[in-house]
Amino acid sequence: MSYTYTLWFAFFGLLIGHLPGAVTGAVIGFVFDNLRYSQRKNATPEAGGFIGPLFTLLGAVAKSDGRVSEQEIAIAERLMTRMGLDAEQRRQAVTSFNVGKQPEFDVTPTIAALRNWVGLRRDHAFPVLDVVIETVLAEGNPPPEKMAILHQLAFALRISDMELMALMAMKGYAWNAGAGGSRGYGGGQAYGNAGGYVPPQRTAQGPDPYAVLGIDRNADDRAVKRAYRKLISEHHPDRLGDLPEDMRKRAEARASEINAAYDRIKEMRGL
C-alpha cells in the first residue's frame, strides 16, 4: 500500500500546526491512502484486456526451449475455444502467440502488461498463472527456460514461491523452489546439490496435500486451518467477476483440490 497522502498531509500538518498538526495530518492522509488502496484492490480488470499479453506470453513460453511443440499449439487452441473467443479475439490471440514465439523475444513488457491488468487482484493473478503453468508443463518436466519465465511472471504478480509450488502441486507436480541450492527470480531456476537444474517432477501418488495448502508437514492444526481458509477465499470462483468461463472452471478445480487436500490432512490427523 502506498502512503503518499499520509506523508503529504503529515508534512503540511507539521507546517501549520507543528507536531500535533503532523499527527492529525498523518491520520487524515492514512484514511485517504487506505481508501485508494481498497478501491484499487477491488477494481475489476477490463474484460478481455488480458488476451493479447496472455497469448503473447504463451508463445514465448512455448518457444523458450527452441521449438514450439504440437502439444503447446494444441493447448493454445483449446484455450481459445474454452474461453469462447469470438473471431476477432481469436485472430488477436493467434497474432499475439506468433509474436511471442519470435526468437529472442523479451517477455518483460508482456509480463508488465499482465501485471497492470491484474492490478492488486490476487484472485485474478491465479487464473493467469494457471493458464501459463499448463503450457509450461505441456511436454512434462519443464526445462529451465520455461520455469524462468514462470518465475518472472509469478514475481511480477506478487505470488510467492510457496504459492507457486502449491499451484504446481495441484497439477500433480512436486517441486522444491530451493532444491538445496540457490536461485533467484532473475534466473528463475532451482538447483540441486550438484548444481544442476532440478525440474518439477510428476508425482505418481497424486498431489501432496501439504504442498497444495502451502504449509509444512509439521504445521499445527491451527496453521492448517488458517492456510485452508486463506486459500479457499483467494481461489473461490465467485470472486472472479466477468472473467471467461474457462478461468472460472479453473478456479473451481483449484477450490476442489484445496478442499480435497484439507480433507486428506484432517483424515491423516484424525481431526
Side-chain angles (χ1 to χ4, degrees), residues 27 35 67 74-75 161 203 222 246:
V27 171
L35 178 61
R67 60 179 291 273
I75 284 176
D161 271 350
T203 57
R222 291 181 61 186
D246 174 70

Side-chain angles (χ1 to χ4, degrees), residues 223-242:
V224 171
K225 180 179 289 189
R226 187 164 55 246
Y228 165 74
R229 288 179 173 173
K230 178 177 182 292
L231 279 177
I232 205 65
S233 172
E234 291 181 335
H235 292 271
H236 201 287
D238 289 347
R239 300 186 58 184
L240 296 181
D242 59 354

Side-chain angles (χ1 to χ4, degrees), residues 13 24 26 44-45 48 65 74 78 90 93 110 125 163 172-173 187 212 215-216 227 232 252:
T24 302
T44 300
D65 60 349
R78 286 199 303 270
R90 196 177 185 90
T110 300
E163 291 168 321
Y173 279 77
V212 169
I215 55 176
D216 188 87
I232 205 65
E252 291 173 357

